PDB file of all heavy atoms in Angstrom:
ATOM      1  N   SER A 459      -6.341  11.299   6.272  1.00 91.00           N
ATOM      2  CA  SER A 459      -6.182  12.374   5.282  1.00 91.00           C
ATOM      3  C   SER A 459      -5.207  12.018   4.179  1.00 91.00           C
ATOM      4  O   SER A 459      -5.113  12.764   3.180  1.00 91.00           O
ATOM      5  CB  SER A 459      -5.707  13.660   5.974  1.00 91.00           C
ATOM      6  OG  SER A 459      -4.461  13.458   6.627  1.00 91.00           O
ATOM      7  N   PHE A 460      -4.487  10.912   4.271  1.00 93.00           N
ATOM      8  CA  PHE A 460      -3.539  10.508   3.211  1.00 93.00           C
ATOM      9  C   PHE A 460      -4.269  10.374   1.889  1.00 93.00           C
ATOM     10  O   PHE A 460      -5.316   9.733   1.796  1.00 93.00           O
ATOM     11  CB  PHE A 460      -2.873   9.187   3.614  1.00 93.00           C
ATOM     12  CG  PHE A 460      -1.790   8.721   2.680  1.00 93.00           C
ATOM     13  CD1 PHE A 460      -0.799   9.577   2.256  1.00 93.00           C
ATOM     14  CD2 PHE A 460      -1.784   7.411   2.230  1.00 93.00           C
ATOM     15  CE1 PHE A 460       0.202   9.128   1.391  1.00 93.00           C
ATOM     16  CE2 PHE A 460      -0.795   6.951   1.380  1.00 93.00           C
ATOM     17  CZ  PHE A 460       0.205   7.816   0.952  1.00 93.00           C
ATOM     18  N   SER A 461      -3.687  10.960   0.839  1.00 92.00           N
ATOM     19  CA  SER A 461      -4.387  11.081  -0.445  1.00 92.00           C
ATOM     20  C   SER A 461      -4.405   9.818  -1.300  1.00 92.00           C
ATOM     21  O   SER A 461      -5.187   9.728  -2.242  1.00 92.00           O
ATOM     22  CB  SER A 461      -3.738  12.193  -1.279  1.00 92.00           C
ATOM     23  OG  SER A 461      -3.905  13.459  -0.694  1.00 92.00           O
ATOM     24  N   TYR A 462      -3.553   8.869  -1.000  1.00 94.00           N
ATOM     25  CA  TYR A 462      -3.350   7.741  -1.906  1.00 94.00           C
ATOM     26  C   TYR A 462      -3.646   6.408  -1.216  1.00 94.00           C
ATOM     27  O   TYR A 462      -3.704   6.325   0.011  1.00 94.00           O
ATOM     28  CB  TYR A 462      -1.912   7.748  -2.438  1.00 94.00           C
ATOM     29  CG  TYR A 462      -1.564   9.035  -3.145  1.00 94.00           C
ATOM     30  CD1 TYR A 462      -1.022  10.115  -2.450  1.00 94.00           C
ATOM     31  CD2 TYR A 462      -1.816   9.188  -4.508  1.00 94.00           C
ATOM     32  CE1 TYR A 462      -0.721  11.303  -3.091  1.00 94.00           C
ATOM     33  CE2 TYR A 462      -1.517  10.368  -5.158  1.00 94.00           C
ATOM     34  CZ  TYR A 462      -0.979  11.429  -4.452  1.00 94.00           C
ATOM     35  OH  TYR A 462      -0.690  12.609  -5.087  1.00 94.00           O
ATOM     36  N   GLY A 463      -3.785   5.341  -2.025  1.00 94.00           N
ATOM     37  CA  GLY A 463      -3.922   4.019  -1.456  1.00 94.00           C
ATOM     38  C   GLY A 463      -2.643   3.589  -0.774  1.00 94.00           C
ATOM     39  O   GLY A 463      -2.649   2.987   0.291  1.00 94.00           O
ATOM     40  N   GLY A 464      -1.533   3.903  -1.425  1.00 96.00           N
ATOM     41  CA  GLY A 464      -0.217   3.590  -0.879  1.00 96.00           C
ATOM     42  C   GLY A 464       0.843   4.429  -1.543  1.00 96.00           C
ATOM     43  O   GLY A 464       0.617   5.005  -2.606  1.00 96.00           O
ATOM     44  N   MET A 465       1.992   4.540  -0.914  1.00 98.00           N
ATOM     45  CA  MET A 465       3.151   5.194  -1.491  1.00 98.00           C
ATOM     46  C   MET A 465       4.369   4.365  -1.180  1.00 98.00           C
ATOM     47  O   MET A 465       4.648   4.071  -0.016  1.00 98.00           O
ATOM     48  CB  MET A 465       3.299   6.620  -0.956  1.00 98.00           C
ATOM     49  CG  MET A 465       4.498   7.363  -1.514  1.00 98.00           C
ATOM     50  SD  MET A 465       4.399   7.536  -3.327  1.00 98.00           S
ATOM     51  CE  MET A 465       6.139   7.633  -3.747  1.00 98.00           C
ATOM     52  N   GLU A 466       5.108   4.026  -2.212  1.00 98.00           N
ATOM     53  CA  GLU A 466       6.148   3.008  -2.168  1.00 98.00           C
ATOM     54  C   GLU A 466       7.492   3.484  -1.634  1.00 98.00           C
ATOM     55  O   GLU A 466       8.553   3.077  -2.087  1.00 98.00           O
ATOM     56  CB  GLU A 466       6.355   2.445  -3.576  1.00 98.00           C
ATOM     57  CG  GLU A 466       6.859   3.442  -4.630  1.00 98.00           C
ATOM     58  CD  GLU A 466       5.780   4.227  -5.340  1.00 98.00           C
ATOM     59  OE1 GLU A 466       4.622   4.223  -4.881  1.00 98.00           O
ATOM     60  OE2 GLU A 466       6.086   4.859  -6.373  1.00 98.00           O
ATOM     61  N   ASN A 467       7.507   4.350  -0.628  1.00 98.00           N
ATOM     62  CA  ASN A 467       8.763   4.830  -0.070  1.00 98.00           C
ATOM     63  C   ASN A 467       9.653   3.639   0.316  1.00 98.00           C
ATOM     64  O   ASN A 467       9.196   2.738   1.008  1.00 98.00           O
ATOM     65  CB  ASN A 467       8.502   5.688   1.163  1.00 98.00           C
ATOM     66  CG  ASN A 467       7.534   6.811   0.882  1.00 98.00           C
ATOM     67  OD1 ASN A 467       7.721   7.599  -0.038  1.00 98.00           O
ATOM     68  ND2 ASN A 467       6.470   6.883   1.668  1.00 98.00           N
ATOM     69  N   PRO A 468      10.912   3.617  -0.109  1.00 98.00           N
ATOM     70  CA  PRO A 468      11.774   2.478   0.205  1.00 98.00           C
ATOM     71  C   PRO A 468      11.857   2.223   1.709  1.00 98.00           C
ATOM     72  O   PRO A 468      11.944   3.153   2.512  1.00 98.00           O
ATOM     73  CB  PRO A 468      13.137   2.937  -0.334  1.00 98.00           C
ATOM     74  CG  PRO A 468      12.825   3.939  -1.384  1.00 98.00           C
ATOM     75  CD  PRO A 468      11.605   4.647  -0.907  1.00 98.00           C
ATOM     76  N   CYS A 469      11.777   0.963   2.064  1.00 98.00           N
ATOM     77  CA  CYS A 469      11.885   0.505   3.466  1.00 98.00           C
ATOM     78  C   CYS A 469      10.660   0.864   4.302  1.00 98.00           C
ATOM     79  O   CYS A 469      10.522   0.360   5.414  1.00 98.00           O
ATOM     80  CB  CYS A 469      13.135   1.071   4.158  1.00 98.00           C
ATOM     81  SG  CYS A 469      14.668   0.768   3.272  1.00 98.00           S
ATOM     82  N   LEU A 470       9.770   1.741   3.791  1.00 98.00           N
ATOM     83  CA  LEU A 470       8.622   2.169   4.598  1.00 98.00           C
ATOM     84  C   LEU A 470       7.471   2.565   3.686  1.00 98.00           C
ATOM     85  O   LEU A 470       7.293   3.747   3.369  1.00 98.00           O
ATOM     86  CB  LEU A 470       9.017   3.338   5.490  1.00 98.00           C
ATOM     87  CG  LEU A 470       7.934   3.802   6.485  1.00 98.00           C
ATOM     88  CD1 LEU A 470       7.718   2.736   7.559  1.00 98.00           C
ATOM     89  CD2 LEU A 470       8.319   5.147   7.121  1.00 98.00           C
ATOM     90  N   THR A 471       6.692   1.596   3.263  1.00 98.00           N
ATOM     91  CA  THR A 471       5.517   1.884   2.434  1.00 98.00           C
ATOM     92  C   THR A 471       4.444   2.566   3.279  1.00 98.00           C
ATOM     93  O   THR A 471       4.091   2.095   4.350  1.00 98.00           O
ATOM     94  CB  THR A 471       4.956   0.580   1.826  1.00 98.00           C
ATOM     95  OG1 THR A 471       5.821   0.147   0.762  1.00 98.00           O
ATOM     96  CG2 THR A 471       3.566   0.772   1.269  1.00 98.00           C
ATOM     97  N   PHE A 472       3.950   3.693   2.766  1.00 98.00           N
ATOM     98  CA  PHE A 472       2.814   4.377   3.391  1.00 98.00           C
ATOM     99  C   PHE A 472       1.518   3.783   2.838  1.00 98.00           C
ATOM    100  O   PHE A 472       1.406   3.583   1.618  1.00 98.00           O
ATOM    101  CB  PHE A 472       2.826   5.866   3.044  1.00 98.00           C
ATOM    102  CG  PHE A 472       3.869   6.694   3.751  1.00 98.00           C
ATOM    103  CD1 PHE A 472       4.800   6.131   4.604  1.00 98.00           C
ATOM    104  CD2 PHE A 472       3.900   8.072   3.557  1.00 98.00           C
ATOM    105  CE1 PHE A 472       5.763   6.910   5.253  1.00 98.00           C
ATOM    106  CE2 PHE A 472       4.851   8.873   4.190  1.00 98.00           C
ATOM    107  CZ  PHE A 472       5.784   8.284   5.040  1.00 98.00           C
ATOM    108  N   VAL A 473       0.526   3.537   3.696  1.00 98.00           N
ATOM    109  CA  VAL A 473      -0.772   3.047   3.234  1.00 98.00           C
ATOM    110  C   VAL A 473      -1.902   3.789   3.924  1.00 98.00           C
ATOM    111  O   VAL A 473      -1.755   4.313   5.033  1.00 98.00           O
ATOM    112  CB  VAL A 473      -0.937   1.518   3.438  1.00 98.00           C
ATOM    113  CG1 VAL A 473       0.010   0.736   2.547  1.00 98.00           C
ATOM    114  CG2 VAL A 473      -0.751   1.144   4.900  1.00 98.00           C
ATOM    115  N   THR A 474      -3.049   3.798   3.275  1.00 96.00           N
ATOM    116  CA  THR A 474      -4.250   4.438   3.816  1.00 96.00           C
ATOM    117  C   THR A 474      -4.977   3.493   4.761  1.00 96.00           C
ATOM    118  O   THR A 474      -5.022   2.269   4.540  1.00 96.00           O
ATOM    119  CB  THR A 474      -5.202   4.821   2.676  1.00 96.00           C
ATOM    120  OG1 THR A 474      -6.475   5.197   3.209  1.00 96.00           O
ATOM    121  CG2 THR A 474      -5.428   3.669   1.716  1.00 96.00           C
ATOM    122  N   PRO A 475      -5.595   4.023   5.808  1.00 96.00           N
ATOM    123  CA  PRO A 475      -6.396   3.161   6.698  1.00 96.00           C
ATOM    124  C   PRO A 475      -7.649   2.634   6.038  1.00 96.00           C
ATOM    125  O   PRO A 475      -8.301   1.734   6.581  1.00 96.00           O
ATOM    126  CB  PRO A 475      -6.729   4.081   7.880  1.00 96.00           C
ATOM    127  CG  PRO A 475      -6.622   5.464   7.346  1.00 96.00           C
ATOM    128  CD  PRO A 475      -5.540   5.420   6.309  1.00 96.00           C
ATOM    129  N   THR A 476      -8.012   3.142   4.845  1.00 95.00           N
ATOM    130  CA  THR A 476      -9.187   2.608   4.155  1.00 95.00           C
ATOM    131  C   THR A 476      -8.964   1.176   3.674  1.00 95.00           C
ATOM    132  O   THR A 476      -9.908   0.511   3.229  1.00 95.00           O
ATOM    133  CB  THR A 476      -9.578   3.484   2.945  1.00 95.00           C
ATOM    134  OG1 THR A 476      -8.519   3.473   1.981  1.00 95.00           O
ATOM    135  CG2 THR A 476      -9.867   4.912   3.368  1.00 95.00           C
ATOM    136  N   LEU A 477      -7.733   0.677   3.771  1.00 95.00           N
ATOM    137  CA  LEU A 477      -7.451  -0.717   3.394  1.00 95.00           C
ATOM    138  C   LEU A 477      -7.857  -1.700   4.482  1.00 95.00           C
ATOM    139  O   LEU A 477      -7.960  -2.903   4.230  1.00 95.00           O
ATOM    140  CB  LEU A 477      -5.958  -0.912   3.110  1.00 95.00           C
ATOM    141  CG  LEU A 477      -5.318  -0.086   2.003  1.00 95.00           C
ATOM    142  CD1 LEU A 477      -3.857  -0.452   1.856  1.00 95.00           C
ATOM    143  CD2 LEU A 477      -6.047  -0.306   0.673  1.00 95.00           C
ATOM    144  N   LEU A 478      -8.091  -1.226   5.686  1.00 94.00           N
ATOM    145  CA  LEU A 478      -8.347  -2.113   6.812  1.00 94.00           C
ATOM    146  C   LEU A 478      -9.815  -2.539   6.823  1.00 94.00           C
ATOM    147  O   LEU A 478     -10.681  -1.832   7.305  1.00 94.00           O
ATOM    148  CB  LEU A 478      -7.969  -1.421   8.123  1.00 94.00           C
ATOM    149  CG  LEU A 478      -6.516  -0.937   8.211  1.00 94.00           C
ATOM    150  CD1 LEU A 478      -6.259  -0.250   9.552  1.00 94.00           C
ATOM    151  CD2 LEU A 478      -5.537  -2.076   7.998  1.00 94.00           C
ATOM    152  N   THR A 479     -10.052  -3.724   6.276  1.00 90.00           N
ATOM    153  CA  THR A 479     -11.411  -4.241   6.160  1.00 90.00           C
ATOM    154  C   THR A 479     -11.673  -5.412   7.100  1.00 90.00           C
ATOM    155  O   THR A 479     -12.821  -5.801   7.298  1.00 90.00           O
ATOM    156  CB  THR A 479     -11.684  -4.715   4.726  1.00 90.00           C
ATOM    157  OG1 THR A 479     -10.748  -5.761   4.404  1.00 90.00           O
ATOM    158  CG2 THR A 479     -11.526  -3.572   3.734  1.00 90.00           C
ATOM    159  N   GLY A 480     -10.612  -6.036   7.625  1.00 87.00           N
ATOM    160  CA  GLY A 480     -10.763  -7.210   8.466  1.00 87.00           C
ATOM    161  C   GLY A 480     -10.721  -8.519   7.699  1.00 87.00           C
ATOM    162  O   GLY A 480     -10.566  -9.587   8.301  1.00 87.00           O
ATOM    163  N   ASP A 481     -10.857  -8.446   6.363  1.00 86.00           N
ATOM    164  CA  ASP A 481     -10.833  -9.690   5.568  1.00 86.00           C
ATOM    165  C   ASP A 481      -9.700  -9.699   4.540  1.00 86.00           C
ATOM    166  O   ASP A 481      -9.643 -10.586   3.694  1.00 86.00           O
ATOM    167  CB  ASP A 481     -12.170  -9.920   4.858  1.00 86.00           C
ATOM    168  CG  ASP A 481     -12.510  -8.806   3.864  1.00 86.00           C
ATOM    169  OD1 ASP A 481     -11.694  -7.867   3.699  1.00 86.00           O
ATOM    170  OD2 ASP A 481     -13.587  -8.882   3.241  1.00 86.00           O
ATOM    171  N   LYS A 482      -8.804  -8.712   4.596  1.00 89.00           N
ATOM    172  CA  LYS A 482      -7.631  -8.593   3.724  1.00 89.00           C
ATOM    173  C   LYS A 482      -8.000  -8.352   2.262  1.00 89.00           C
ATOM    174  O   LYS A 482      -7.128  -8.394   1.381  1.00 89.00           O
ATOM    175  CB  LYS A 482      -6.738  -9.848   3.829  1.00 89.00           C
ATOM    176  CG  LYS A 482      -6.306 -10.182   5.235  1.00 89.00           C
ATOM    177  CD  LYS A 482      -5.445 -11.440   5.271  1.00 89.00           C
ATOM    178  CE  LYS A 482      -5.127 -11.824   6.717  1.00 89.00           C
ATOM    179  NZ  LYS A 482      -4.314 -13.053   6.814  1.00 89.00           N
ATOM    180  N   SER A 483      -9.279  -8.076   1.990  1.00 85.00           N
ATOM    181  CA  SER A 483      -9.726  -7.972   0.585  1.00 85.00           C
ATOM    182  C   SER A 483      -9.122  -6.786  -0.131  1.00 85.00           C
ATOM    183  O   SER A 483      -8.993  -6.820  -1.359  1.00 85.00           O
ATOM    184  CB  SER A 483     -11.260  -7.896   0.529  1.00 85.00           C
ATOM    185  OG  SER A 483     -11.746  -6.778   1.260  1.00 85.00           O
ATOM    186  N   LEU A 484      -8.766  -5.734   0.585  1.00 90.00           N
ATOM    187  CA  LEU A 484      -8.126  -4.584  -0.054  1.00 90.00           C
ATOM    188  C   LEU A 484      -6.627  -4.553   0.213  1.00 90.00           C
ATOM    189  O   LEU A 484      -5.869  -4.020  -0.595  1.00 90.00           O
ATOM    190  CB  LEU A 484      -8.761  -3.280   0.446  1.00 90.00           C
ATOM    191  CG  LEU A 484     -10.242  -3.078   0.108  1.00 90.00           C
ATOM    192  CD1 LEU A 484     -10.736  -1.743   0.642  1.00 90.00           C
ATOM    193  CD2 LEU A 484     -10.476  -3.163  -1.401  1.00 90.00           C
ATOM    194  N   ALA A 485      -6.203  -5.116   1.316  1.00 92.00           N
ATOM    195  CA  ALA A 485      -4.788  -5.076   1.682  1.00 92.00           C
ATOM    196  C   ALA A 485      -3.913  -5.834   0.679  1.00 92.00           C
ATOM    197  O   ALA A 485      -2.850  -5.350   0.284  1.00 92.00           O
ATOM    198  CB  ALA A 485      -4.591  -5.665   3.081  1.00 92.00           C
ATOM    199  N   LEU A 486      -4.362  -7.000   0.241  1.00 91.00           N
ATOM    200  CA  LEU A 486      -3.537  -7.822  -0.652  1.00 91.00           C
ATOM    201  C   LEU A 486      -3.212  -7.082  -1.936  1.00 91.00           C
ATOM    202  O   LEU A 486      -2.055  -7.055  -2.372  1.00 91.00           O
ATOM    203  CB  LEU A 486      -4.254  -9.141  -0.977  1.00 91.00           C
ATOM    204  CG  LEU A 486      -4.193 -10.231   0.093  1.00 91.00           C
ATOM    205  CD1 LEU A 486      -5.058 -11.409  -0.317  1.00 91.00           C
ATOM    206  CD2 LEU A 486      -2.757 -10.699   0.305  1.00 91.00           C
ATOM    207  N   ASP A 487      -4.220  -6.468  -2.574  1.00 92.00           N
ATOM    208  CA  ASP A 487      -4.000  -5.768  -3.840  1.00 92.00           C
ATOM    209  C   ASP A 487      -2.977  -4.649  -3.682  1.00 92.00           C
ATOM    210  O   ASP A 487      -2.016  -4.551  -4.442  1.00 92.00           O
ATOM    211  CB  ASP A 487      -5.313  -5.153  -4.353  1.00 92.00           C
ATOM    212  CG  ASP A 487      -6.437  -6.140  -4.487  1.00 92.00           C
ATOM    213  OD1 ASP A 487      -6.455  -7.134  -3.733  1.00 92.00           O
ATOM    214  OD2 ASP A 487      -7.303  -5.938  -5.338  1.00 92.00           O
ATOM    215  N   THR A 488      -3.232  -3.796  -2.705  1.00 95.00           N
ATOM    216  CA  THR A 488      -2.402  -2.607  -2.555  1.00 95.00           C
ATOM    217  C   THR A 488      -0.979  -2.967  -2.120  1.00 95.00           C
ATOM    218  O   THR A 488      -0.012  -2.402  -2.642  1.00 95.00           O
ATOM    219  CB  THR A 488      -3.025  -1.625  -1.551  1.00 95.00           C
ATOM    220  OG1 THR A 488      -4.330  -1.267  -2.027  1.00 95.00           O
ATOM    221  CG2 THR A 488      -2.184  -0.377  -1.391  1.00 95.00           C
ATOM    222  N   ILE A 489      -0.830  -3.899  -1.181  1.00 96.00           N
ATOM    223  CA  ILE A 489       0.512  -4.254  -0.734  1.00 96.00           C
ATOM    224  C   ILE A 489       1.273  -4.968  -1.860  1.00 96.00           C
ATOM    225  O   ILE A 489       2.483  -4.736  -2.022  1.00 96.00           O
ATOM    226  CB  ILE A 489       0.460  -5.111   0.536  1.00 96.00           C
ATOM    227  CG1 ILE A 489      -0.254  -4.338   1.653  1.00 96.00           C
ATOM    228  CG2 ILE A 489       1.873  -5.489   0.982  1.00 96.00           C
ATOM    229  CD1 ILE A 489       0.271  -2.931   1.881  1.00 96.00           C
ATOM    230  N   ALA A 490       0.583  -5.798  -2.631  1.00 97.00           N
ATOM    231  CA  ALA A 490       1.242  -6.380  -3.804  1.00 97.00           C
ATOM    232  C   ALA A 490       1.772  -5.292  -4.726  1.00 97.00           C
ATOM    233  O   ALA A 490       2.919  -5.348  -5.205  1.00 97.00           O
ATOM    234  CB  ALA A 490       0.274  -7.306  -4.546  1.00 97.00           C
ATOM    235  N   HIS A 491       0.950  -4.285  -4.970  1.00 97.00           N
ATOM    236  CA  HIS A 491       1.340  -3.172  -5.843  1.00 97.00           C
ATOM    237  C   HIS A 491       2.563  -2.449  -5.281  1.00 97.00           C
ATOM    238  O   HIS A 491       3.545  -2.213  -6.000  1.00 97.00           O
ATOM    239  CB  HIS A 491       0.155  -2.210  -5.982  1.00 97.00           C
ATOM    240  CG  HIS A 491       0.388  -1.090  -6.942  1.00 97.00           C
ATOM    241  ND1 HIS A 491      -0.005  -1.143  -8.253  1.00 97.00           N
ATOM    242  CD2 HIS A 491       1.004   0.113  -6.784  1.00 97.00           C
ATOM    243  CE1 HIS A 491       0.335  -0.015  -8.862  1.00 97.00           C
ATOM    244  NE2 HIS A 491       0.951   0.762  -7.982  1.00 97.00           N
ATOM    245  N   GLU A 492       2.507  -2.084  -3.993  1.00 98.00           N
ATOM    246  CA  GLU A 492       3.604  -1.308  -3.426  1.00 98.00           C
ATOM    247  C   GLU A 492       4.891  -2.131  -3.314  1.00 98.00           C
ATOM    248  O   GLU A 492       5.996  -1.594  -3.470  1.00 98.00           O
ATOM    249  CB  GLU A 492       3.204  -0.756  -2.054  1.00 98.00           C
ATOM    250  CG  GLU A 492       1.940   0.092  -2.038  1.00 98.00           C
ATOM    251  CD  GLU A 492       1.938   1.205  -3.069  1.00 98.00           C
ATOM    252  OE1 GLU A 492       3.028   1.693  -3.435  1.00 98.00           O
ATOM    253  OE2 GLU A 492       0.849   1.604  -3.515  1.00 98.00           O
ATOM    254  N   ILE A 493       4.777  -3.424  -3.059  1.00 98.00           N
ATOM    255  CA  ILE A 493       5.956  -4.284  -3.025  1.00 98.00           C
ATOM    256  C   ILE A 493       6.633  -4.324  -4.399  1.00 98.00           C
ATOM    257  O   ILE A 493       7.869  -4.241  -4.505  1.00 98.00           O
ATOM    258  CB  ILE A 493       5.574  -5.703  -2.543  1.00 98.00           C
ATOM    259  CG1 ILE A 493       5.412  -5.717  -1.022  1.00 98.00           C
ATOM    260  CG2 ILE A 493       6.618  -6.738  -2.967  1.00 98.00           C
ATOM    261  CD1 ILE A 493       4.884  -7.016  -0.464  1.00 98.00           C
ATOM    262  N   ILE A 494       5.842  -4.431  -5.457  1.00 98.00           N
ATOM    263  CA  ILE A 494       6.405  -4.470  -6.801  1.00 98.00           C
ATOM    264  C   ILE A 494       7.214  -3.199  -7.089  1.00 98.00           C
ATOM    265  O   ILE A 494       8.237  -3.224  -7.795  1.00 98.00           O
ATOM    266  CB  ILE A 494       5.290  -4.639  -7.848  1.00 98.00           C
ATOM    267  CG1 ILE A 494       4.678  -6.044  -7.743  1.00 98.00           C
ATOM    268  CG2 ILE A 494       5.799  -4.418  -9.265  1.00 98.00           C
ATOM    269  CD1 ILE A 494       5.630  -7.171  -8.051  1.00 98.00           C
ATOM    270  N   HIS A 495       6.787  -2.079  -6.521  1.00 98.00           N
ATOM    271  CA  HIS A 495       7.529  -0.836  -6.734  1.00 98.00           C
ATOM    272  C   HIS A 495       8.973  -0.935  -6.214  1.00 98.00           C
ATOM    273  O   HIS A 495       9.817  -0.122  -6.606  1.00 98.00           O
ATOM    274  CB  HIS A 495       6.820   0.328  -6.044  1.00 98.00           C
ATOM    275  CG  HIS A 495       5.804   1.018  -6.897  1.00 98.00           C
ATOM    276  ND1 HIS A 495       6.111   1.508  -8.158  1.00 98.00           N
ATOM    277  CD2 HIS A 495       4.507   1.323  -6.677  1.00 98.00           C
ATOM    278  CE1 HIS A 495       5.023   2.087  -8.669  1.00 98.00           C
ATOM    279  NE2 HIS A 495       4.038   1.968  -7.787  1.00 98.00           N
ATOM    280  N   SER A 496       9.257  -1.880  -5.332  1.00 98.00           N
ATOM    281  CA  SER A 496      10.628  -2.060  -4.857  1.00 98.00           C
ATOM    282  C   SER A 496      11.575  -2.353  -6.014  1.00 98.00           C
ATOM    283  O   SER A 496      12.790  -2.115  -5.919  1.00 98.00           O
ATOM    284  CB  SER A 496      10.701  -3.183  -3.819  1.00 98.00           C
ATOM    285  OG  SER A 496       9.844  -2.917  -2.739  1.00 98.00           O
ATOM    286  N   TRP A 497      11.042  -2.888  -7.098  1.00 98.00           N
ATOM    287  CA  TRP A 497      11.803  -3.132  -8.320  1.00 98.00           C
ATOM    288  C   TRP A 497      11.441  -2.117  -9.421  1.00 98.00           C
ATOM    289  O   TRP A 497      12.323  -1.532 -10.035  1.00 98.00           O
ATOM    290  CB  TRP A 497      11.529  -4.553  -8.835  1.00 98.00           C
ATOM    291  CG  TRP A 497      12.078  -5.632  -7.981  1.00 98.00           C
ATOM    292  CD1 TRP A 497      13.284  -6.261  -8.123  1.00 98.00           C
ATOM    293  CD2 TRP A 497      11.468  -6.234  -6.830  1.00 98.00           C
ATOM    294  NE1 TRP A 497      13.461  -7.213  -7.148  1.00 98.00           N
ATOM    295  CE2 TRP A 497      12.355  -7.227  -6.334  1.00 98.00           C
ATOM    296  CE3 TRP A 497      10.255  -6.041  -6.165  1.00 98.00           C
ATOM    297  CZ2 TRP A 497      12.058  -8.018  -5.233  1.00 98.00           C
ATOM    298  CZ3 TRP A 497       9.970  -6.816  -5.059  1.00 98.00           C
ATOM    299  CH2 TRP A 497      10.869  -7.801  -4.582  1.00 98.00           C
TER     300      TRP A 497
END
């Protein structure tokens, strides 16, 4: 039910289970995005 791809909460990024594809094809993009939010 989480509304977003990810949310950059410090120390604990929230992510949607729709990223879990088994081939990392969606995980890399979103995690790169949320990591950048650390800055």
Side-chain angles (χ1 to χ4, degrees):
S459 60
F460 185 48
S461 294
Y462 302 90
M465 180 61 207
E466 63 273 13
N467 306 307
C469 307
L470 186 68
T471 285
F472 286 3
V473 293
T474 169
T476 63
L477 300 182
L478 302 179
T479 60
D481 63 1
K482 305 179 185 179
S483 59
L484 296 181
L486 281 174
D487 305 29
T488 301
I489 301 309
H491 185 95
E492 304 308 332
I493 282 173
I494 291 297
H495 271 307
S496 303
W497 291 265

